[in-house]
Each structure stands twice: as structure tokens, then as C-alpha cells.
Amino acid sequence: MRDNILQAAREVFAQHGLSGARIDEIAKRTRTSKRMIYYYFSDKETLYQAVLEDAYARMRKAEDALDLARLNPVAALRQLAEFTFEHHSHAKDFVRLVMIENIHEGDHMSKLTSISGQNSSAIAHLEDIYRRGVEMGLFRRGLTASELHFHISAASVFNVSNRATFSHIFGDDLFTDRGQQKLRRQVGDMILGIVMKPGLSAETDVPRAREEARMINPDIFRFLEVWDAKWATLAKGATAADRRVHFESIARDMRLPTPSDVETDEEHWIDSDGGPVRVRIFRHDSGGTQPALIYMHGGGWMQGSPETHWDITARIASWNRQTVISVDYALAPEHPFPEGFLQILAVARWAHEKAADLGIDPARIAIGGDSAGGNLAAAVALSCRDEGIPLAAQLLIYPACDFDRSRPSYEENAEGPLLKVAGMAATNALYCDDVEQLNSDPRIAPLSAESHADLPPAYVAVAQNDPLRDSGLAYAEALEAAGVSVTVERGEGLIHGYLRAMEYCAATETRLREMSAWLAKTVG
């Protein structure tokens, strides 16, 4: 009953303020009477204070659930900043209550010691993140958690408090889904820009963690030792969203130095039938008109981003003196097929339409990706062929080209390492829960296409100890049978996801250099 009253009162106070709110109206919106409201809350002012207290408690409870202490400090600070922006954009009543209380000079809040304690927890989160960042040599000294909290709140509150006037004067582009996604990420960029040490950016040139600095070894099992230890810190029962954030933090920790001749700061947002999609541009600094590769990261269609696969795309851009367009496509289970597929197809169209602006040659645009990203690259290549969108090559790295788990490689490598067969059916269902479509729609299973003729030349890299090995080999055979030029790399002694092990296993970097050389030769 008390919660019901607080919810109704929150709406009324947010709409009318303290002076304009009426207990009669609050009672009408509840499942109780005016008398019961006074039973729980002696007067309107006490009720208003309880609403303030509850609003802040809910905000801080959501922050505590983020479990930021386990993340790399850069990932943690971005997560907190973007969470605050997202929370405020969906909790307009909270922002309005804050505005109303400021009209009252914070008089009622000053009487609530609990709010002071709740906000102390927010400052404690920031203090911990900032301290860890300073100790790792990432963040500059001399800042305070209160200053960071101010900057985060300023952008997040303004997004709601000034939306009406801003839209009236400047238009509402920033308040569309696409605009809000861009602003949310930019808030993270802005906060990281404030704290990073001079000479460092939020994405590049980050000092390596101590454990990795002493683990440079050609044996791939040294990589697995580090990888497994980092994933072991993920809480049991973690959701897909939890895994996504954890993966970003691990990839951040393990990232190799970015080649100095690659520019990485440019981002674009492209509209599509699957919603707005962000791309990050990795471009060789030699300028001019360059060949391009549209690249999709792996991660089981559920996790990953241009940032998690930075080592791959930055090196291809450097070694080939080219541009790589890395796609941050929509992820399952929140965004199942066909959203991500449609976004990537839109990126392919956009790359051709904007080739001159991007400084790329429309006749030398290739497509590629690893694991789930390889699946998407192959599927989009089929649609590009059907739509007449020219592609110069396709680079498919340990791709899932169909979902037939009866192939020998699934039995031989059931326990991985890195990728295990037991969880595949559940993962696939999150991407597409229609089993018949999963196995017959070429936009999901490219091996099921009626024809593979007239596709661009392909490089298919598989791994000997990968459950997906035989799926990739079957696709290579189908391409060859259709007259497509195919180069196959069998990855002897390697595992699924081996490009993540470049620091630990020299053979994995060699494989990427071979892929890059093939790509450079094929597209010219």
C-alpha cells in the first residue's frame, strides 16, 4: 500500500510540484483512500520527502547492481556514465523531482539524512573507479569523485530537463532513438576524456596490466590461462547484458598496443530497417583513396563490439594501409534476427553511397568477420549479390555457416577450448528461435542458399580444434563448387577465437598477417 501511494505521489509531484500537488488527486490514482495516505504520511510535506527519498533509493539500487568493482576502470567509468544517462532519459519523473527540489533550494532534502547516505554510495563507486584508474596509470591525478559526478549528472539531467526548449529551438534529431544512442555514448566519451592522462585516449595506448606483461609466450595455453581466469570472475547467473559488459572489460584489459599509423577516433551512425547502428572507422593515416573492409566482430550474436575486436581491425588497417569499418550491430537476445543483419546490410549500402566522403574506393570494398561476425559477413554477402551491391572479397574467420551439429568437428571438439558445444543450441535460439528458419534461411545459415555463384572471392579460415571447423569447410566447398575462388586456411593446432591470442601464440599473428596479405592482393 505504501509503495502504491509513493508511486502515485511521485507522478503527481513531478507533474505539479509540491505546492500544486493535491492529496485528493494522489488518492484518486491509488488503490486506497485519502485517510490511508495520512495514516502512512502525516502530511503532504512528509509524503513529498518520502517520494524524494524513494526516488534516490531506486537510483542508487540500480547503480549498485552494476557491480562496477570487477570491471577495468575505463570500462567501469563508461558503464556508470552511460547508465546514468540512460536511467535519467527513462526516469523523467526523477529529473523533474530534482528540478522541483532545486526550486525549493534543497530545503526538504536537507532534512533527509538517508539521501545523503545514498549519494555517498554513488561517490564511493566513483572514488573506487578513479583510484584504480590512477593506480594503473590511466587516469590523471587531482580530480575528485564529486567533480566526475557533477559532469555525469549535468549531461544526463540536461537531456531531460531542457528537452522541450532544445527541441523547439534546434529540432528533435537528438531525441530520436539514434540521437539518444549517440548522446549516451558521447557522455561516456566526454567523462573519459576528462580523466585520461595526457597522451592517452579512452581507447588506445593503454598501459598493459602487470600479469600480461610477464605472460608473453608462444604457447596458446598461456592465453587460455589468462582468458579463463578473467572470465571466472563473472558472477553466477549473469545475464547476457552482464556478460556483454564483462567481455568489454576483459577485451580492454587484454588489448594490444594500437599501431601508430592507424586513426581510430572516427564514428558514424547509420539508419537502417534494424534501427540505428554505430560504426567505428579504423583508417591508415596515409590518406588518399583506400580499399575498405566492412568487419563484424564475433561473440555468439550476443556480445562484442568494435572495441572488443580492436586488435584485429587495427592491424588489418595498418598492415594493408586501408580503412576498416567495424560495425557495432544489434545484439541478441534483446535484438534477435533480423535486426543486426539489416543493420549490416545498410552499412554496406552506406559505404558505397558515402565512399567519396569516407576516402574509400567503392570498387574495392570487402566484407568480413570472425565467428558470428563471419556468419553475418557471409550472409550479407549473399544479399549484396542479390541487390547488386558490389563486394571485392569476403574474409570469413572461423565462421558458423550452418547449424548442423552432427558434423565430426562438433564431436571431436565438444569441450572446446573456448567454445563448447553444450551451450550452442541455447545461444542459437536467442538469435533465432525458429528452428526451421535457423536451418533454412540463407540470411542466418548462408550454407543453405540455393546458389553460391557470383559471390566475391573468399578466404575461409578455420581452426583444427574448433567445433565450427567443418561448417566453415563445408561452406568453402560450396563456394568452390559454385565457381567462386576460395582460399582455405585450416588453422592446424589452433582453436576457435585464436586471433585473441596474438600476444601469446606467434602462429596466430602469422595467420592474421596471411589473411591481410590475401585481402590486399585480392582487392588490389
Side-chain angles (χ1 to χ4, degrees), residues 69-90:
R70 62 186 170 80
L71 298 179
N72 171 285
V74 174
L77 187 55
R78 177 183 289 281
Q79 174 78 351
L80 182 59
E82 293 188 8
F83 162 80
T84 304
F85 183 89
E86 186 79 7
H87 171 274
H88 287 15
S89 70
H90 289 98

Side-chain angles (χ1 to χ4, degrees), residues 318-333:
S318 176
W319 297 339
N320 285 2
R321 300 173 67 86
Q322 72 165 96
T323 296
V324 179
I325 302 169
S326 190
V327 186
D328 192 16
Y329 57 87
L331 299 173

Side-chain angles (χ1 to χ4, degrees), residues 4 78 91 151 168 170 209 290 324 359 368 412 473-474 507 521:
N4 176 236
R78 177 183 289 281
H151 291 301
H168 181 74
F170 301 108
Q290 301 179 1
V324 179
E412 294 170 16
L473 292 176
K521 180 179 178 181

